[in-house]
Amino acid sequence: MSEGSKGSSLAFGQVVIGPPGSGKTTYCHGMREFMGRIGRKVAVVNLDPANEGMPYPCAVDISELITLSDVMENLKLGPNGGLIYCMEYLEANFDWLQEKLAAFKGHYYLFDCPGQVELYTHHDALKNVFAQLAKWNFRLAAVHLVDSHYCTDPGKFISVLCTSLSTMLHVELPHVNVLSKMDLIEQYGKLAFNLDYYTEVLDLSYLVDHLASDPFFRNYRRLNAKLVEVIEDYSLVSFVPLNVQDKESMRKVMQAVDKANGYSFGDQEHRSLEALMSAAVGADFHFTSTLAVQEKYVQSRDKTVEEEVMDM
């Protein structure tokens, strides 16, 4: 809890959501370590009943209440139905969650959530859990992780934008969309546009034009144009790039989330953050700046344009 809110019962935190493989557990582990270095007491709450072998010390673990494997075995449900059942069971046992969280009063909370997309776009169980936390004076922001490799495919990127928008409207929390695994983006192939085009979600008509060059997507140009129109009409979706191994990148994400949930840290934490950012690179942090990736694409594009001019 921030120094300014010691006299109140407010608690602050993040609900970390996103599709499977987007890096939610890795994010929680990295953010817990980063915040710990600046003096913020962090409690990680695992709400994923399928999560096993967490890399972080788990303050509260839903597996003490219910596990996906038990549900699938005893109720003969598949993984999707099992996860929905687990979230409904958690919703029916708020008293268990409240009792567990009460043991970590004064901490900043990271909620590591399941990866089933339907839980954030259609189903109400997790949404109701977040609403109940708000009634308990939790000030939460949703951190929606999306794997950055979707940027390399215009069709997938439009799909991700629609999912992000749907999630923002359904979950009803202050929202920070994050492009994760930025350190791996070069392995996925060359981007059609500069990185800021994707993070700021700039004029998407260019994306529709780019898709039209594909014979398959050419037949769906009007559909893509309408989807893009919906995204632009709401003007809600933008992304913060993240490389968990880069502390500057982690700082930017943390500050975006702090702004979203209203967290305000005191002088001591501010001094600790400044000391951490100015310190030499540690063994567990690598300065592979996201900005360097963006600059590489800008330089590559400039070089391509220069070569085209020379050929004319």
Side-chain angles (χ1 to χ4, degrees):
M1 192 176 294
S2 67
E3 290 184 7
S5 59
K6 281 181 179 177
S8 70
S9 58
L10 286 179
F12 293 87
Q14 309 174 18
V15 293
V16 184
I17 60 180
S22 57
K24 295 183 294 297
T25 298
T26 302
Y27 171 87
C28 288
H29 178 50
M31 188 57 74
R32 176 190 170 275
E33 285 194 345
F34 183 81
M35 288 181 171
R37 284 169 170 250
I38 61 173
R40 194 179 298 189
K41 292 192 298 182
V42 178
V44 184
V45 181
N46 175 43
L47 294 184
D48 186 354
N51 223 350
E52 297 178 354
M54 282 83 72
Y56 50 74
C58 198
V60 181
D61 192 351
I62 193 177
S63 65
E64 296 176 17
L65 177 70
I66 191 170
T67 65
L68 179 61
S69 56
D70 287 344
V71 169
M72 291 174 64
E73 182 179 346
N74 295 323
L75 299 181
K76 309 304 178 186
L77 293 171
N80 288 346
L83 268 174
I84 289 175
Y85 181 89
C86 289
M87 293 303 103
E88 290 176 344
Y89 192 79
L90 175 63
E91 184 186 0
N93 288 272
F94 280 143
D95 53 342
W96 174 87
L97 182 60
Q98 187 174 26
E99 182 183 344
K100 290 291 185 180
L101 293 175
F104 296 92
K105 198 169 184 179
H107 284 65
Y108 185 97
Y109 297 86
L110 294 174
F111 293 89
D112 190 358
C113 298
Q116 188 177 354
V117 175
E118 295 94 318
L119 292 172
Y120 315 115
T121 58
H122 299 86
H123 200 261
D124 285 338
L126 261 183
K127 173 184 174 181
N128 294 338
V129 171
F130 300 154
Q132 184 61 48
L133 288 168
K135 291 178 182 177
W136 294 337
N137 278 333
F138 277 76
R139 297 296 178 260
L140 301 173
V143 178
H144 184 217
L145 297 182
V146 174
D147 197 318
S148 60
H149 89 266
Y150 289 117
C151 294
T152 59
D153 186 315
K156 289 181 180 178
F157 188 63
I158 290 178
S159 176
V160 159
L161 291 174
C162 290
T163 302
S164 298
L165 180 59
S166 178
T167 300
M168 294 172 76
L169 297 175
H170 184 73
V171 171
E172 297 180 351
L173 284 176
H175 217 86
V176 177
N177 291 303
V178 174
L179 280 178
S180 62
K181 306 180 185 178
M182 287 303 301
D183 51 321
L184 302 177
I185 194 170
E186 291 177 291
Q187 299 178 16
Y188 301 137
K190 188 176 180 181
L191 299 180
F193 305 98
N194 291 339
L195 190 61
D196 60 348
Y197 178 87
Y198 300 92
T199 56
E200 301 302 323
V201 189
L202 301 175
D203 188 351
L204 295 177
S205 61
Y206 293 110
L207 209 59
V208 176
D209 293 338
H210 191 76
L211 273 174
S213 62
D214 188 311
F216 175 79
F217 287 108
R218 191 177 299 140
N219 298 325
Y220 301 99
R221 184 186 178 97
R222 287 182 62 193
L223 173 62
N224 290 327
K226 289 298 180 183
L227 288 173
V228 161
E229 192 177 309
V230 169
I231 295 164
E232 291 185 328
D233 283 349
Y234 277 94
S235 297
L236 290 175
V237 186
S238 61
F239 294 94
V240 180
L242 170 67
N243 171 7
V244 174
Q245 294 182 320
D246 178 8
K247 60 186 179 182
E248 174 61 25
S249 176
M250 292 289 282
R251 180 185 68 83
K252 288 180 178 178
V253 172
M254 183 189 73
Q255 289 179 333
V257 177
D258 285 349
K259 184 178 179 181
N261 67 12
Y263 182 91
S264 177
F265 54 78
D267 291 340
Q268 182 57 49
E269 187 172 316
H270 183 71
R271 286 194 294 269
S272 298
L273 179 60
E274 287 183 339
L276 174 62
M277 299 311 297
S278 62
V281 181
D284 53 344
F285 276 109
H286 306 284
F287 268 102
T288 312
S289 176
T290 306
L291 198 58
V293 177
Q294 181 172 347
E295 287 175 351
K296 180 168 184 176
Y297 282 112
V298 173
Q299 291 169 0
S300 175
R301 178 175 293 278
D302 290 345
K303 185 177 180 182
T304 303
V305 171
E306 186 179 333
E307 288 175 349
E308 290 176 351
V309 172
M310 293 295 290
D311 291 339
M312 291 177 63

